């Protein structure tokens, strides 16, 4: 498993011709998740910047359920980004495939039900990310999950650091939604991007209209939408993190709509998880067509 920001870098494409994801990763939200962070301007010959970021969330799940969600490929596929393969045990090699770009990491800590840590392979400039999850069971069947993300960021460290601070709350909220509403269920991860979708105000107005939302989105607002080639969907807003994130939960899916902002080229990214037997490629084609129609 690896943390990637759910944004794409304008102008870069994968071998498939699609825009590619660019590290590092983010999350953040307004649930029980809280976080702090530090940044030390430690400059190497490549002008790298050392950082450490802390997050914490209480989950309505057992430590065993939380471990399965963070330390296995199928569990990670149910709430994080891309398609994941995790080799169990310390020293195991992991892969995360997001929009045609594969990020690799190594397991550096493996204590089932207690601690899971990884270190990402270094980028050409020497930057890398490391993550440590600490699991603590509580009375009544709940679990506290603590996350420490650290490493070295490159020249664009301010943008990357802010993205991680904001992004992690969203991802941890999604993890909470998964463990609450879809515990133990397998998911099909669906990703799509639309470069140059327009500024945030225009893009969000377009997306919310397509989802049947009128005015500013709030958690609990009803949502109804139709993607050509897919069944109609009804649900509720489960995460209102505008102007960057919007989350929708239905009876069989968690949907995430993301706008990169102007620093990343005003790209719209979709990061969905469907808890049903669907064809991933067909479903991704349908969502790409939906984006192309909205922002034609």
């Amino acid at each position: 498993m690896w943390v990637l920001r759910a944004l794409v870098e304008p102008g870069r494409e994968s071998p498939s011709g699609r825009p590619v994801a660019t590290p590092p990763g983010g999350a953040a939200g307004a649930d029980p998740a809280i976080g702090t962070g530090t940044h030390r301007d430690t400059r190497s010959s490549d002008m790298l910047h050392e950082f450490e970021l802390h997050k914490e969330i209480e989950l309505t799940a057992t430590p065993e359920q939380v471990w399965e969600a963070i330390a296995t490929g199928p569990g990670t596929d149910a709430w994080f980004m891309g398609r994941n393969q995790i080799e169990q045990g310390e020293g195991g090699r992991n892969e995360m495939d997001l929009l045609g770009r594969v990020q690799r990491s190594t397991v550096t800590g493996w204590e089932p039900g207690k601690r899971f840590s990884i270190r990402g392979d270094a980028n050409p400039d020497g930057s890398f990310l490391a993550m440590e999850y600490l699991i603590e069971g509580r009375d009544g069947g709940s679990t506290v999950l603590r996350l420490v993300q650290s490493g070295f960021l490159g020249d664009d460290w301010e943008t990357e650091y802010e993205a991680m601070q904001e992004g992690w709350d969203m991802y941890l909220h999604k993890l909470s939604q998964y463990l609450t509403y879809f515990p133990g269920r397998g998911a099909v991860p669906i990703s799509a991007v639309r470069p140059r979708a327009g500024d945030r105000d225009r893009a969000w107005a377009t997306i919310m209209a397509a989802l049947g939302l009128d005015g500013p989105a709030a958690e609990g607002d009803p949502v109804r939408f139709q993607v050509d080639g897919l069944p109609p969907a009804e649900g509720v807003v489960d995460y209102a993190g505008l102007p960057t994130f919007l989350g929708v939960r239905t009876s069989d899916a968690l949907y995430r709509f993301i706008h990169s902002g102007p620093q990343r080229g005003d790209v719209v990214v979709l990061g969905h998880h469907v808890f049903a037997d669907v064809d991933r490629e067909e479903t991704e084609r349908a969502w790409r067509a939906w984006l192309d129609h909205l922002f034609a």
Side-chain angles (χ1 to χ4, degrees):
M1 189 190 74
W2 190 237
V3 180
L4 290 175
R5 181 164 34 162
L7 307 178
V8 296
E9 182 174 348
R12 294 189 62 190
E13 294 184 344
S14 69
S16 66
R18 301 174 190 168
V20 298
T22 184
D31 211 33
I34 59 174
T36 61
T38 60
H39 167 258
R40 293 189 296 276
D41 190 359
T42 303
R43 297 170 182 262
S44 71
S45 59
D46 293 320
M47 303 294 285
L48 298 179
H49 301 258
E50 186 177 10
F51 81 97
E52 186 172 284
L53 181 150
H54 298 254
K55 293 289 180 180
E56 178 177 312
I57 186 170
E58 184 168 358
L59 300 163
T60 307
T62 66
E64 292 76 18
Q65 288 175 310
V66 174
W67 176 263
E68 287 295 316
I70 66 172
T72 70
T76 305
D77 283 353
W79 65 278
F80 204 56
M81 294 303 300
R83 291 174 289 149
N84 299 270
Q85 297 180 25
I86 297 177
E87 183 181 355
Q88 298 188 352
E90 189 167 345
R93 293 288 289 165
N94 314 317
E95 291 189 354
M96 177 182 185
D97 185 337
L98 176 60
L99 299 170
R101 180 168 179 172
V102 176
Q103 296 291 316
R104 295 177 175 86
S105 62
T106 300
V107 176
T108 56
W110 183 271
E111 300 176 51
K114 295 181 180 180
R115 176 176 172 267
F116 176 60
S117 60
I118 61 174
R119 185 189 189 280
D121 292 359
N123 295 308
D125 65 357
S127 62
F128 72 90
L129 296 177
M131 289 171 40
E132 180 181 49
Y133 291 103
L134 300 173
I135 301 170
E136 179 185 341
R138 292 284 177 88
D139 293 339
S142 66
T143 299
V144 173
L145 178 65
R146 296 181 177 89
L147 165 71
V148 180
Q149 186 175 22
S150 60
F152 288 87
L153 302 178
D155 288 341
D156 196 25
W157 69 268
E158 289 142 317
T159 299
E160 307 295 354
Y161 187 74
E162 290 172 4
M164 289 186 288
Q165 281 280 18
E166 182 181 14
W168 262 119
D169 288 347
M170 186 276 288
Y171 285 114
L172 291 177
H173 175 88
K174 195 180 352 176
L175 171 62
S176 177
Q177 294 286 289
Y178 162 60
L179 290 171
T180 299
Y181 295 97
F182 308 101
R185 291 175 60 178
V188 179
I190 302 298
S191 303
V193 298
R194 172 67 186 194
R196 297 176 294 278
D199 64 62
R200 282 172 163 167
D201 289 344
R202 186 176 69 174
W204 282 120
T206 301
I207 292 170
M208 288 194 290
L211 299 178
L213 292 167
D214 183 16
E219 291 183 18
D221 285 351
V223 173
R224 296 178 179 82
F225 61 90
Q226 173 73 66
V227 175
D228 287 346
L230 303 179
E234 295 188 9
V236 296
V237 173
D238 76 291
Y239 191 81
L242 299 177
T244 306
F245 302 109
L246 179 67
V248 172
R249 186 186 71 249
T250 67
S251 62
D252 64 357
L254 292 171
Y255 297 98
R256 290 300 180 268
F257 305 84
I258 304 165
H259 190 283
S260 71
Q263 290 181 306
R264 290 285 174 177
D266 290 321
V267 179
V268 170
V269 181
L270 306 182
H272 304 333
H273 306 269
V274 180
F275 299 91
D277 185 14
V278 300
D279 183 282
R280 182 184 60 82
E281 292 184 357
E282 289 184 1
T283 305
E284 286 190 338
R285 278 197 297 270
W287 277 104
R288 287 198 299 270
W290 183 83
L291 285 175
D292 290 343
H293 175 73
L294 285 188
F295 298 105

